[in-house]
Amino acid sequence: MPRIDPVEYEETNPGQRAAWDDMVAGQGRMTNMKRTLLHSLPAYRALMEWYPLRAAVAPFLGERLADIFCHAISSDNDCLICSTYFRRALIDAGEDPEVFVLDAREQLVVDLGRCLARPLGRVPDELWSRLAAEFRDEEMVALVSFGAMMVATNLFNNAVGVELDGYLEGYRG
């Protein structure tokens, strides 16, 4: 049961309504998480920066690895909403989210995600060195920031008790 009910479209003010309309136009739906975030337009805007960060990492990670990275973080954070969302994305792309076949570079990215999901988000020097050999500084900054935004989204969902959207029910792990 959610601790804060999602806003209804009819209850929104003009700024909230514009954000809602923009999200539906760009992403196709307004989820329970986004509707809950809309109680605070600055909070909504802050966490929606996930989309530009994803766009920043997609050229060097690719869609598949970006989804696997987010799934690893969300699963380790025990976030029902986000882990299920990424399970759906991966399953719909033909992946088995229980068993990924990863090359060494992909495994490094997953290992980074798992480190970010832990308390304090510490990344061992040995892992960082291996990542730094694969990615430029600007890519590492974007990747870590993208992971941090995923952790923030997970934390919000878990703390507020956002309910799983109905369209995700069939994808629960």
Side-chain angles (χ1 to χ4, degrees), residues 80-138:
L80 176 64
I81 305 295
C82 295
S83 64
T84 306
Y85 176 87
F86 288 104
R87 278 182 60 79
R88 180 190 68 108
L90 292 162
I91 290 168
D92 289 355
E95 294 281 344
D96 178 354
E98 303 304 323
V99 183
F100 294 116
V101 177
L102 302 174
D103 64 24
R105 180 179 176 272
E106 292 168 332
Q107 188 62 57
L108 283 175
V109 171
V110 169
D111 292 346
L112 172 64
R114 294 195 186 290
C115 288
L116 297 176
R118 291 186 200 127
L120 307 179
R122 303 241 190 262
V123 179
D125 289 341
E126 184 273 331
L127 175 59
W128 188 267
S129 294
R130 292 185 359 220
L131 285 159
E134 292 288 334
F135 299 102
R136 299 185 322 270
D137 287 349
E138 57 269 26

Side-chain angles (χ1 to χ4, degrees), residues 36-169:
T36 304
L37 279 165
L38 268 180
H39 281 282
S40 167
L41 205 47
Y44 173 85
R45 288 181 179 139
L47 289 185
M48 292 307 101
E49 285 300 305
W50 183 91
Y51 289 99
L53 283 167
R54 182 181 174 92
V57 302
F60 64 88
L61 283 188
E63 297 296 323
R64 175 182 180 265
L65 186 53
D67 285 346
I68 291 171
F69 179 67
C70 290
H71 180 264
I73 292 169
S74 300
S75 295
D76 281 20
N77 279 161
D78 197 27
C79 179
L80 176 64
I81 305 295
C82 295
S83 64
T84 306
Y85 176 87
F86 288 104
R87 278 182 60 79
R88 180 190 68 108
L90 292 162
I91 290 168
D92 289 355
E95 294 281 344
D96 178 354
E98 303 304 323
V99 183
F100 294 116
V101 177
L102 302 174
D103 64 24
R105 180 179 176 272
E106 292 168 332
Q107 188 62 57
L108 283 175
V109 171
V110 169
D111 292 346
L112 172 64
R114 294 195 186 290
C115 288
L116 297 176
R118 291 186 200 127
L120 307 179
R122 303 241 190 262
V123 179
D125 289 341
E126 184 273 331
L127 175 59
W128 188 267
S129 294
R130 292 185 359 220
L131 285 159
E134 292 288 334
F135 299 102
R136 299 185 322 270
D137 287 349
E138 57 269 26
E139 292 171 335
M140 287 299 297
V141 168
L143 182 58
V144 171
S145 297
F146 180 53
M149 189 62 72
M150 193 74 252
V151 170
T153 302
N154 294 169
L155 188 144
F156 177 81
N157 287 328
N158 289 344
V160 176
V162 175
E163 287 187 330
L164 187 66
D165 295 275
Y167 79 98
L168 294 173
E169 278 295 337

Side-chain angles (χ1 to χ4, degrees), residues 8-50:
E8 298 297 334
Y9 188 78
E10 302 75 32
E11 301 166 355
T12 59
N13 64 41
Q16 292 167 318
R17 188 165 291 160
W20 185 308
D21 292 342
D22 287 347
M23 181 57 65
V24 170
Q27 300 300 320
R29 72 170 44 102
M30 193 65 168
T31 64
N32 289 338
M33 180 193 81
K34 294 168 189 164
R35 290 176 47 222
T36 304
L37 279 165
L38 268 180
H39 281 282
S40 167
L41 205 47
Y44 173 85
R45 288 181 179 139
L47 289 185
M48 292 307 101
E49 285 300 305
W50 183 91

